[in-house]
């Protein structure tokens, strides 16, 4: 036989054999068998160990049950529910991770993979098994109001619009509602005389700061009027018993205005403050349960922060979701708006994708409530070059400014984009706000650098505190707290972020000790230095005066064992800039004219907070203006009918 023909024949035979073997392997994969039974496995999740029970028949994965976890409600809990059902439905470990809950998703897949291995299954084959989702039809709908974004502002707008008679469809691009609100600690600022009557009076130094604020040079005529209002409020307080905490609407407004370097629009600040307490009552009517506690959120400057019963943002999301569904709001998850539909200069709907299919929803009003852009590294670098990828963020990975871009493409004006706030209280692992002890209020902790020394007033402005932390060794610190903090840790040992405190300690995320010296040794600080810092701070608490940094907000002395140390780093937190709106939340163009059919609310907007936002004001912003947007949308709908 000719050599060339011989080689060709051999090659052909080899190919045939390989294909045949591959076919056999493929058939074997399709007929994967298991040792029937239930196998218990575990993997490291975001909040701790996730323990999983996986039940097999001889032929398939029959059931997956998560028997133990410490994942965050509304984030990790969504991944647990979604992936457990999808792995069983598709008999595949190749399911997609849930956006914003990648660590939890990976842990579930890892734990089930271990069970598959124990049951004699082929893990690799299951990872390669196709996820054969049914091809859906294009989503073509018509409604009164379209809300883009399922965080706090979007849900508030949807509830408000539906409650005022409008038919509402809300689209959320991720697999779960919540946005950044579900990641928040939950503090909500409101001047509340009934609750604040039970709070101890501010010390003399704090009151001096208030008097100083009342005597600054006025920027505008309205500012001058507010300064006089504050002086009148102070005088009335001075003439009274003075045995309770002073606060007033004028003080909250002026602290917000001053705290934003007088760049925020005062008329918006006034609405935010005036409507904060009434809106909290509206939220209660819609399912939010408030405690009677009043605390001072870091960067909040004054004790007026309210907390929901679980002290976290998930309380707001769960209550709003339940109320929205009661009111008939249609909620589409995995549905991303990509552009606004515009006809004759009026916004008439959205286009995008829903579960991979084309989506077009027409409405009389569109409300953008997609949040800011702190998770978009390139976008934030465009406005603040120093905010590089080296800095993590508290934000959901989904908060990338897409709503801002959609509005800009529709002619909306953007303002304040260069004002981006960072926090000195990020989780070193990923920049998030969870996994520490002390989050219920600045009254409950102090902060030290790696040398064991305080380096700032912990009750100061967020931008000032973050700058101070960036100047420390490795830009790293420890929050020192103790069991005096009975607000932060509930009776079951869970902190306000939903973390199991024992697991945080067990996993080396938070440190705990019965003495300050032992705590210092655990975190690599000279015990004598931390003891000196600790004693000096407690003396300042007792005296109500901080001679080192001027802190004025204190709680009890931090002197009840056990003591906690929580590592913290700087993290990008809030973008103050965005779509310019008017007081009725209409989006404005560069000429200050409204864009018909387009409203916006929440962090997607700009101009309210100025150059720096007070801690505890964001949750007020999203609910006050989200509620306003819903009311205005319903009014427009009625007008057009």
């Amino acid at each position: 036989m000719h050599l060339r023909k011989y080689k060709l024949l051999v090659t052909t035979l080899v190919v045939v054999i390989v294909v045949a073997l591959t076919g056999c392997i493929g058939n074997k994969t399709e007929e994967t068998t298991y040792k029937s039974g239930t196998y218990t496995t575990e993997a490291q999740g975001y909040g701790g160990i996730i323990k999983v029970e996986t039940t097999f028949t001889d032929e398939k994965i029959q059931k997956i049950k998560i028997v133990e976890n410490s994942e965050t409600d509304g984030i990790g809990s969504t991944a647990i529910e979604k992936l457990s059902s999808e792995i069983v439905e598709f008999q595949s470990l190749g399911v997609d991770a849930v956006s914003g809950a990648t660590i939890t998703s990976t842990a579930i897949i890892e734990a089930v993979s271990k069970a598959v291995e124990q049951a004699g299954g082929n893990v690799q084959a299951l990872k390669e098994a196709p996820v054969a989702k049914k091809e859906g039809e294009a989503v073509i709908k018509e409604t009164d109001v379209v809300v883009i974004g399922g965080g706090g502002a979007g849900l508030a707008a949807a509830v408000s619009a539906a409650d005022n008679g409008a038919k509402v469809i809300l689209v959320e691009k991720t697999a779960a509602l919540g946005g950044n609100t579900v990641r928040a600690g939950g503090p909500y600022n409101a001047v509340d005389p009934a609750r604040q009557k039970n709070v101890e009076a501010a010390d003399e130094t704090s009151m001096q700061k208030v008097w100083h604020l009342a005597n600054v040079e006025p920027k505008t005529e309205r500012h001058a009027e507010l300064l006089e209002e504050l002086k009148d409020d102070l005088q009335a307080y001075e003439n009274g018993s003075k045995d309770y905490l002073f606060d007033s609407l004028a003080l909250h407004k002026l602290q917000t205005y001053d705290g934003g370097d007088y760049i925020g629009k005062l008329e918006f600040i006034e609405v935010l403050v005036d409507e904060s307490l009434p809106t909290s009552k509206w939220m209660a009517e819609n399912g939010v349960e408030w405690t009677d506690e009043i605390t001072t959120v870091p960067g909040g400057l004054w004790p007026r922060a309210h907390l929901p019963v679980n002290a976290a943002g998930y309380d707001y999301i769960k209550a709003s979701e339940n109320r929205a569904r009661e009111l008939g709001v249609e909620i589409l998850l995995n549905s991303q708006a990509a552009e606004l539909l515009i006809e004759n200069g009026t916004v008439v709907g959205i286009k995008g994708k829903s579960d991979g299919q084309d989506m077009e929803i027409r409405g009389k009003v569109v409300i953008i409530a997609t949040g800011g852009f702190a998770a978009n590294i390139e976008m934030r670098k465009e406005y603040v070059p120093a905010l590089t990828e080296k800095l993590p963020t508290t934000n959901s990975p989904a908060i990338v400014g897409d709503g801002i871009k959609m509005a800009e493409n529709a002619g909306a004006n953007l303002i304040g984009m260069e004002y981006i706030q960072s926090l000195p209280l990020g989780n070193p692992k990923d920049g998030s706000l969870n996994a520490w002890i002390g989050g219920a209020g600045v009254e409950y902790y102090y902060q030290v650098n790696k040398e064991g020394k305080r380096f700032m007033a912990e009750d100061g402005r967020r931008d000032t505190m973050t700058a101070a932390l960036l100047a420390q060794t490795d830009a790293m610190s420890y929050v020192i707290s103790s069991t005096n903090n009975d607000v932060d840790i509930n009776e079951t040992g869970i902190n306000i972020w939903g973390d199991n405190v024992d697991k945080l300690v067990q996993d080396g995320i938070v440190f705990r000790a019965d003495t300050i010296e032992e705590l210092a040794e655990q975190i690599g600080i000279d015990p004598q230095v931390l003891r000196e810092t600790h004693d000096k701070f407690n003396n300042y608490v007792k005296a109500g005066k901080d001679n080192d940094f001027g802190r004025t907000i204190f709680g009890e002395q931090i002197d009840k064992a056990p003591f906690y140390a929580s590592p913290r780093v700087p993290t990008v937190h809030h973008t103050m800039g965005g779509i310019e709106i008017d007081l009725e939340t209409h989006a404005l163009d560069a000429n200050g004219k409204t864009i018909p059919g387009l409203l916006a609310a929440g962090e997607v907007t700009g101009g309210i907070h100025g150059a720096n936002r007070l801690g505890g004001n964001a949750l007020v912003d999203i609910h006050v203006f989200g509620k306003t947007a819903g009311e205005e949308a319903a009014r427009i709908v009625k007008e057009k009918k």
Side-chain angles (χ1 to χ4, degrees):
M1 183 181 292
H2 193 280
L3 182 60
R4 182 177 294 176
K5 289 184 178 179
Y6 178 78
K7 286 183 177 179
L8 180 60
L9 177 61
V10 171
T11 302
T12 303
L13 287 171
V14 170
V15 170
V16 170
I17 292 169
V18 170
V19 170
L21 287 173
T22 303
C24 291
I25 293 171
N27 291 336
K28 181 64 178 174
T29 299
E30 293 173 5
E31 299 170 0
T32 296
T33 58
Y34 305 97
K35 299 173 188 175
S36 63
T38 298
Y39 299 81
T40 302
T41 55
E42 58 185 42
Q44 179 67 42
Y46 184 83
I49 294 297
I50 298 177
K51 188 175 288 186
V52 181
E53 285 182 357
T54 307
T55 302
F56 299 86
T57 66
D58 291 342
E59 298 177 345
K60 67 177 184 178
I61 302 171
Q62 184 180 50
K63 183 174 68 173
I64 296 172
K65 182 181 179 182
I66 309 300
V67 294
E68 183 179 315
N69 80 92
S70 300
E71 304 306 277
T72 306
D73 281 339
I75 305 176
S77 60
T78 300
I80 286 171
E81 182 179 344
K82 186 173 186 289
L83 266 70
S84 298
S85 62
E86 286 192 349
I87 291 171
V88 173
E89 179 183 356
F90 301 116
Q91 295 295 302
S92 174
L93 292 172
V95 294
D96 293 333
V98 173
S99 176
T102 305
I103 296 175
T104 305
S105 302
T106 302
I108 294 167
I109 293 170
E110 181 185 343
V112 176
S113 297
K114 291 177 181 177
V116 169
E117 190 173 345
Q118 290 178 19
N122 188 329
V123 173
Q124 189 58 39
L126 281 178
K127 286 184 176 180
E128 294 172 358
V131 179
K133 294 185 179 180
K134 293 179 181 178
E135 286 291 328
E137 296 181 356
V139 176
I140 308 296
K141 293 178 178 288
E142 191 166 336
T143 189
D144 292 332
V145 179
V146 183
V147 178
I148 310 174
L155 282 166
V159 168
S160 178
D163 207 18
N164 282 277
K167 184 180 177 183
V168 182
I169 295 177
L170 181 149
V171 297
E172 164 57 44
K173 70 179 181 181
T174 71
L177 298 172
N180 274 344
T181 305
V182 78
R183 295 167 174 259
Y188 178 103
N189 285 339
V191 177
D192 187 342
R195 286 182 171 90
Q196 289 173 306
K197 279 278 187 183
N198 300 315
V199 179
E200 186 178 340
D203 60 86
E204 184 180 344
T205 306
S206 295
M207 293 305 293
Q208 286 174 356
K209 285 184 178 180
V210 174
W211 275 107
H212 174 75
L213 185 61
N215 287 288
V216 299
E217 188 70 27
K219 308 297 179 185
T220 65
E221 184 177 335
R222 179 55 187 154
H223 186 204
E225 292 172 352
L226 284 173
L227 293 173
E228 291 305 313
E229 282 184 33
L230 178 55
K231 290 174 187 175
D232 290 344
D233 293 338
L234 283 164
Q235 198 59 59
Y237 178 78
E238 294 288 347
N239 293 335
S241 62
K242 296 191 293 185
D243 58 353
Y244 60 92
L245 179 73
F246 170 80
D247 201 3
S248 74
L249 295 174
L251 176 59
H252 189 185
K253 293 171 185 178
L254 291 168
Q255 285 181 320
T256 301
Y257 193 35
D258 178 82
D261 296 330
Y262 303 107
I263 292 170
K265 294 182 178 181
L266 188 51
E267 64 270 28
F268 282 86
I269 291 171
E270 293 212 61
V271 170
L272 181 144
V273 171
D274 288 337
E275 294 299 319
S276 58
L277 188 60
T279 299
S280 74
K281 294 176 181 178
W282 174 77
M283 293 162 70
E285 292 169 1
N286 288 316
V288 173
E289 295 181 59
W290 297 104
T291 71
D292 287 328
E293 297 287 344
I294 295 292
T295 65
T296 311
V297 60
L301 306 183
W302 203 254
R304 62 171 70 97
H306 296 55
L307 295 171
V309 290
N310 294 305
Y314 182 63
D315 280 22
Y316 304 126
I317 297 301
K318 193 62 181 173
S320 293
E321 178 187 358
N322 290 341
R323 182 59 177 150
R325 294 189 187 279
E326 284 176 12
L327 291 167
V329 174
E330 183 176 359
I331 297 173
L332 303 179
L333 300 177
N334 296 307
S335 300
Q336 182 168 9
E339 64 177 295
L340 298 171
L341 291 174
I342 303 172
E343 294 178 357
N344 300 318
T346 298
V347 175
V348 296
I350 63 169
K351 289 181 71 174
K353 294 284 186 180
S354 179
D355 277 324
Q357 304 305 308
D358 288 340
M359 174 179 71
E360 181 175 309
I361 305 175
R362 289 180 167 264
K364 297 177 179 67
V365 185
V366 173
I367 302 173
I368 299 181
T370 53
F373 58 95
N376 187 330
I377 295 170
E378 292 307 313
M379 191 170 176
R380 74 192 195 202
K381 280 168 61 178
E382 178 184 346
Y383 295 101
V384 183
L387 299 181
T388 67
E389 59 279 353
K390 292 181 180 179
L391 280 176
T393 179
T394 61
N395 283 209
S396 159
I399 308 299
V400 293
D402 38 9
I404 293 174
K405 294 173 184 175
M406 270 190 285
E408 186 179 26
N409 289 338
N413 190 45
L414 306 184
I415 58 172
M417 296 293 284
E418 69 273 29
Y419 303 126
I420 301 177
Q421 182 182 80
S422 294
L423 268 179
L425 294 166
N427 185 334
K429 180 168 66 175
D430 60 7
S432 63
L433 283 176
N434 74 328
W436 63 293
I437 311 301
V442 72
E443 294 94 339
Y444 302 104
Y445 68 85
Y446 64 90
Q447 214 161 342
V448 299
N449 57 22
K450 293 182 79 171
E451 289 72 40
K453 297 181 178 180
R454 288 179 65 227
F455 54 91
M456 66 179 183
E458 295 86 350
D459 61 351
R461 285 173 41 148
R462 289 179 168 183
D463 52 355
T464 304
M465 292 190 293
T466 303
L469 179 52
L470 285 166
Q472 306 308 305
T473 303
D474 298 330
M476 195 270 199
S477 70
Y478 293 94
V479 168
I480 308 297
S481 185
S482 77
T483 48
N484 296 70
N485 184 359
D486 55 359
V487 176
D488 192 54
I489 306 174
N490 69 20
E491 63 278 1
T492 62
I494 305 298
N495 71 1
I496 70 167
W497 314 101
D499 304 313
N500 182 298
V501 175
D502 286 341
K503 280 190 173 293
L504 290 179
V505 174
Q506 179 183 328
D507 295 340
I509 297 169
V510 168
F511 301 88
R512 180 171 63 194
D514 288 330
T515 68
I516 283 295
E517 288 81 2
E518 183 185 347
L519 189 69
E521 289 175 356
Q522 288 186 27
I523 59 179
I525 289 175
D526 185 329
Q528 183 177 345
V529 173
L530 188 58
R531 167 53 70 183
E532 289 173 356
T533 299
H534 184 75
D535 289 346
K536 182 187 283 189
F537 177 78
N538 277 330
N539 285 333
Y540 291 160
V541 174
K542 189 175 180 180
K545 185 177 181 181
D546 174 5
N547 292 328
D548 290 331
F549 302 101
R551 171 171 167 166
T552 60
I553 295 175
F554 300 99
E556 297 179 21
Q557 293 187 62
I558 298 174
D559 58 3
K560 185 179 178 182
F563 301 96
Y564 296 90
S566 306
R568 297 284 98 179
V569 299
T571 182
V572 183
H573 183 52
H574 189 100
T575 51
M576 276 76 73
I579 304 165
E580 186 173 15
I581 59 172
D582 63 15
L583 288 173
E584 286 73 42
T585 72
H586 297 97
L588 303 178
D589 65 18
N591 298 313
K593 294 182 178 180
T594 61
I595 299 174
L598 185 61
L599 308 179
E603 195 177 343
V604 76
T605 66
I608 298 175
H609 303 285
N612 174 68
R613 178 180 63 77
L614 262 60
N617 274 2
L619 289 168
V620 183
D621 174 5
I622 65 175
H623 287 99
V624 166
F625 290 102
K627 177 175 179 286
T628 298
E631 292 168 345
E632 179 63 7
R635 186 196 67 76
I636 294 170
V637 168
K638 289 175 184 176
E639 189 179 76
K640 289 186 175 182
K641 284 185 177 178

